[in-house]
Amino acid sequence: MRGRPAMVAALGLTLVAAKSDPFAGRVAGPPVQCVDTSTAQSGPSIVDNGTIIINAGGRRIWRAQVRGECPSLRPFNTLLIQQWGSRLCRNDRFQVLQQGLSIPSASCFFDGFVPYDRVKK
């Protein structure tokens, strides 16, 4: 009987970890050059040092690919995107503003976008 609570606790930890993964339960589609951000529910957010997410609303999110390295790309930093119109496209420029600083990073560039759709049940 002692082994059973440990297994339940381990299962609970696994479910919490899966819930924090924005791609859990989603399937990747083919990459595209531009994304329409007019329907986005929130601005792009930094997940980790190589992942930017755009929440398109509904069952789709976009993973923005970054060209090369962008050293300041870390969670809780702010993206400063130079965008014209409602589309965000490959080669569009952005900078990262670190918490507590007033000077943004050097320019970084988007390198395409991959859609992730929630799997229908």
Side-chain angles (χ1 to χ4, degrees):
M1 191 71 173
R2 288 184 147 210
R4 184 169 222 118
M7 185 173 17
V8 171
L11 178 61
L13 291 175
T14 303
L15 293 175
V16 170
K19 191 174 183 179
S20 66
D21 179 8
F23 303 111
R26 297 180 184 268
V27 176
V32 297
Q33 301 294 313
C34 294
V35 172
D36 182 9
T37 58
S38 65
T39 60
Q41 291 183 340
S42 62
S45 58
I46 303 170
V47 175
D48 58 34
N49 62 354
T51 308
I52 299 171
I53 297 281
I54 300 168
N55 187 350
R59 45 175 246 190
R60 175 169 284 179
I61 61 173
W62 294 91
R63 178 182 180 271
Q65 299 172 317
V66 179
R67 183 171 17 136
E69 297 214 10
C70 189
S72 300
L73 201 58
R74 292 185 191 90
F76 305 111
N77 286 345
T78 302
L79 290 174
L80 305 173
I81 300 172
Q82 297 177 10
Q83 180 177 354
W84 292 269
S86 64
R87 292 171 30 121
L88 193 57
C89 293
R90 182 175 192 260
N91 294 323
D92 280 353
R93 179 184 318 216
F94 68 93
Q95 294 174 294
V96 181
L97 184 61
Q98 293 182 27
Q99 286 186 346
L101 298 179
S102 59
I103 300 174
S105 70
S107 292
C108 301
F109 297 89
F110 291 110
D111 194 28
F113 304 87
V114 178
Y116 283 82
D117 291 324
R118 193 174 316 243
V119 179
K120 291 182 182 180
K121 293 182 180 182

